[in-house]
Amino acid sequence: APTAQALRKIYADAAPPFRLPSTEASICLQVWADHRAKWQMSKSKALSILLDGIVLAPLLTSIAYFARWDEAGLDSGPDSMTQSLRFPNMVTQMGEAACEVLGGIITELNIGTMSSSGTVALSSKGSLALQRCYSYFVPTSYSPLLSRFKHVLIEDPSWGFVDMGQDTGEEEEHVNRVLNVVGSGAQHKTLFK
């Protein structure tokens, strides 16, 4: 089914964190625009919400991550996401339709309002909501594993684990380690004050 293929594409080709604008963000926004109306018609409200989450988790993770951290996980501080977010070149790099979709998501979730220049004026609740997205960092750091779930389950259960890690000097394939470490640290700061 086209919707299932589109949703699988998110974890295969739009693993967070990614910057906005980007190809990865375009994938999420395109899936939302093209397929959300279909799953919103589901008789199961729970299924509809879960399918929204497949698209929103990587998108919101990425927005929250890059509002405060850089690619290497360096923290710019908690005050970096209090009043506004800027997504320069959104229209030129992603097109007006994608910007409208993102603006609609931001408005629907009561995060704030997005201008045509790509600036999001955060509401006080929106700023707090994006900070709550830190709890998405650890689960979404396993996007590489989720994208190969069928392969791991049926063909090669050791994919991404065997001969990986600090002892071998190999890069871990099953997890985005920087996002995982930042997410773990953010949760510890919040939960264990």
Side-chain angles (χ1 to χ4, degrees):
T3 300
Q5 289 175 336
L7 290 168
R8 279 193 298 272
K9 185 174 177 66
I10 289 176
Y11 288 97
D13 298 331
F18 47 79
R19 290 204 178 266
L20 278 77
S22 65
T23 301
E24 296 88 347
S26 294
I27 290 169
C28 292
L29 296 172
Q30 193 67 54
V31 170
W32 187 267
D34 292 349
H35 300 281
R36 185 176 191 231
K38 293 173 192 144
W39 70 69
Q40 288 295 102
M41 295 186 309
S42 172
K43 292 179 184 176
S44 169
K45 183 68 174 169
L47 178 61
S48 177
I49 291 168
L50 287 171
L51 295 174
D52 277 357
I54 290 173
V55 179
L56 292 175
L59 187 63
L60 295 174
T61 291
S62 297
I63 290 170
Y65 182 89
F66 282 113
R68 183 165 169 179
W69 290 273
D70 68 8
E71 284 85 354
L74 296 175
D75 189 350
S76 59
D79 296 332
S80 58
M81 189 173 40
T82 56
Q83 295 182 351
S84 67
L85 301 172
R86 296 202 58 220
F87 304 115
N89 306 315
M90 280 285 293
V91 174
T92 56
Q93 290 185 17
M94 293 177 62
E96 286 185 34
C99 292
E100 288 177 19
V101 172
L102 180 60
I105 290 170
I106 287 169
T107 301
E108 183 177 339
L109 297 177
N110 294 317
I111 293 171
T113 55
M114 186 167 146
S115 72
S116 59
S117 66
T119 300
V120 176
L122 295 171
S123 65
S124 58
K125 289 182 181 179
S127 178
L128 181 61
L130 285 177
Q131 290 174 32
R132 297 288 187 248
C133 290
Y134 299 167
S135 65
Y136 298 172
F137 290 10
V138 172
T140 59
S141 73
Y142 288 96
S143 292
L145 181 63
L146 287 173
S147 74
R148 290 169 184 84
F149 187 75
K150 182 179 177 182
H151 175 78
V152 171
L153 190 63
I154 296 171
E155 298 170 26
D156 182 10
S158 67
W159 176 88
F161 297 99
V162 174
D163 297 329
M164 295 293 153
Q166 294 175 346
D167 295 340
T168 64
E170 297 288 327
E171 289 278 328
E172 291 178 297
E173 293 180 274
H174 71 286
V175 65
N176 178 318
R177 184 54 60 198
V178 172
L179 181 59
N180 187 278
V181 169
V182 167
S184 295
Q187 287 179 341
H188 279 86
K189 285 178 187 172
T190 301
L191 299 173
F192 303 110
K193 289 183 179 182

